[in-house]
Amino acid sequence: MAASPGENRVITRSHTRKAKEQLNNTEDRLSSFFYSLPRYGRSQKLRNSRPSHSNDEKKLDTNMFESYLEDLWNSISEEKRSSYTYLDCLWFSLHKKGLAKENVLKWIKKKQIFSRKYVFIPIVCWRHWSLLIFCNFGEKRPSNTKRPCMLLLDSLQQADPGKLEPDIRRFVLDIYGAEARKEKEAVISKIPLFIPKVPQQRNGEECGIFVLYFIYLFVQNAPTSFSLDGYPYFLKEDWFAPDDLESFRKKIHSFECSKNIESDTRQQRHLGGSDLYGLTPECREAVSSSESQNVVTKKEWALVPGSNGMIVDIQ
């Protein structure tokens, strides 16, 4: 019997913490919101325009990725949450590096992937994000057209996503072995791996956003039964428009901003210090009103509430 969605969320949160302890050096840490705000004595100027998307924006780190994915997952229907699941974004890397491999396989076993229609496996490897999807792994009566297969979605085809195949094959083989499945190794090794041509990123910093958007759209449009006859379905180069991705990106960065503020505020209070110590009056106002306004922050920007939505540009 499959675990309930609530139990799956608890499993994911618990194992995410364990995975991060094992692979701490692979994470990109986001800059602290408070350290990015201007202090007295530093030069600053006001501008009347909001910052536009920059190619210099940092990639999503694993903390923020998992946090947003969990939030996204909670928004889908109960029916889909019971028949789909996702793995922690560090588990594949841990397995690939041979770190805590036995624990990783135990954690995956608790996700009961052989009772699911689709399993989403975010992969972060070589500082690049891609998405592996298991289809029909829970199929009890496979046929020529309806049988287990895998999809590897990569927004940077020039990075040669096919080079991950040996690691993916070992990963899948170990999962079957840990579950004591009856399928023979020769059969498991022949599970098809497809790499569809999906929309491509425009710079080197967008891969994490693309993976989240792949999951978001796939969950919405996935066929009830994935058939090889229907492949590639919607998985094409024109799957979505750049404007749609841009809207999704803005939601991600807004979510990222709010999480950073919450995290840093809790840390400051835990240390017994004032959250607003040393900040300019404008920034104190921005932080104080963050719960009631959409505060937009970046590495070099802080929103100052006002009639024109003015921005502090940190020099």
Side-chain angles (χ1 to χ4, degrees):
M1 181 177 178
S4 69
E7 290 172 334
N8 276 320
R9 289 195 292 274
V10 171
I11 290 170
T12 298
R13 283 195 296 268
S14 174
H15 294 160
T16 296
R17 288 193 294 270
K18 294 177 183 177
K20 285 167 185 170
E21 291 173 2
Q22 293 285 341
L23 203 61
N24 188 50
N25 291 335
T26 68
E27 297 185 17
D28 295 325
R29 297 295 183 186
L30 292 172
S31 298
S32 167
F33 171 73
F34 290 94
Y35 287 128
S36 72
L37 292 174
R39 310 280 168 167
Y40 283 116
R42 299 178 67 181
S43 62
Q44 54 186 284
K45 62 182 178 180
L46 297 179
R47 291 186 178 178
N48 290 322
S49 60
R50 294 182 181 273
S52 60
H53 173 66
S54 167
N55 289 345
D56 293 330
E57 286 179 350
K58 295 182 68 174
K59 294 180 182 179
L60 286 178
D61 74 351
T62 52
N63 284 323
M64 191 55 58
F65 184 97
E66 283 291 330
S67 183
Y68 191 85
L69 180 54
E70 182 176 341
D71 190 70
L72 184 158
W73 205 257
N74 290 337
S75 70
I76 69 176
S77 69
E78 190 78 18
E79 179 183 0
K80 288 186 176 180
R81 287 205 303 269
S82 64
S83 56
Y84 305 169
T85 193
Y86 66 91
L87 305 188
D88 185 283
C89 64
L90 293 180
W91 290 356
F92 182 87
S93 295
L94 284 167
H95 181 276
K96 180 178 181 298
K97 293 176 181 291
L99 300 173
K101 183 180 291 188
E102 291 185 3
N103 285 337
V104 169
L105 294 172
K106 288 179 182 177
W107 300 337
I108 293 174
K109 188 174 182 179
K110 291 181 180 180
K111 302 290 277 189
Q112 300 178 322
I113 68 171
F114 291 102
S115 65
R116 314 288 184 175
K117 291 181 180 178
Y118 298 105
V119 180
F120 300 92
I121 303 108
I123 294 175
V124 55
C125 191
W126 304 302
R127 301 184 66 81
H128 176 64
W129 290 91
S130 54
L131 176 65
L132 179 65
I133 305 175
F134 292 165
C135 308
N136 297 331
F137 272 46
E139 184 59 43
K140 293 180 172 57
R141 296 180 180 178
S143 63
N144 289 334
T145 59
K146 188 180 178 183
R147 57 193 174 97
C149 66
M150 299 179 287
L151 305 172
L152 181 58
L153 279 54
D154 197 310
S155 60
L156 193 63
Q157 289 282 343
Q158 66 185 44
D160 187 18
K163 64 185 177 183
L164 279 171
E165 182 169 358
D167 295 306
I168 291 173
R169 296 287 179 192
R170 284 190 290 270
F171 185 60
V172 172
L173 192 61
D174 284 350
I175 290 174
Y176 271 82
E179 297 267 359
R181 301 283 296 182
K182 64 180 181 180
E183 291 86 350
K184 295 181 179 180
E185 181 176 341
V187 174
I188 300 170
S189 299
K190 292 181 180 179
I191 295 176
L193 173 64
F194 300 109
I195 306 178
K197 293 183 178 180
V198 293
Q200 298 292 283
Q201 63 192 72
R202 295 165 295 179
N203 59 55
E205 308 299 322
E206 298 180 313
C207 49
I209 299 290
F210 267 81
V211 167
L212 285 170
Y213 201 45
F214 288 158
I215 295 173
Y216 174 75
L217 290 183
F218 195 98
V219 166
Q220 289 185 329
N221 301 294
T224 304
S225 177
F226 193 93
S227 169
L228 298 186
D229 283 346
Y231 177 81
Y233 291 98
F234 45 81
L235 302 172
K236 302 175 182 178
E237 291 180 278
D238 60 352
W239 183 8
F240 52 82
D243 288 347
D244 297 331
L245 178 67
E246 186 62 28
S247 297
F248 185 78
R249 186 206 317 278
K250 289 178 180 177
K251 292 180 182 178
I252 295 290
H253 288 305
S254 176
F255 181 85
E256 177 181 340
C257 167
S258 65
K259 288 294 182 182
N260 283 339
I261 292 175
E262 290 173 8
S263 175
D264 287 320
T265 300
R266 285 195 300 269
Q267 183 178 7
Q268 290 283 335
R269 288 172 179 165
H270 177 71
L271 295 175
S274 171
D275 300 338
L276 309 179
Y277 176 76
L279 301 183
T280 63
E282 294 89 350
C283 290
R284 283 201 297 271
E285 182 182 356
V287 175
S288 297
S289 61
S290 63
E291 293 183 356
S292 60
Q293 300 195 33
N294 291 324
V295 178
V296 180
T297 61
K298 293 175 57 178
K299 184 177 180 180
E300 298 178 344
W301 299 87
L303 177 65
V304 177
S307 58
N308 295 322
M310 302 180 76
I311 299 294
V312 173
D313 182 8
I314 302 169
Q315 300 297 304

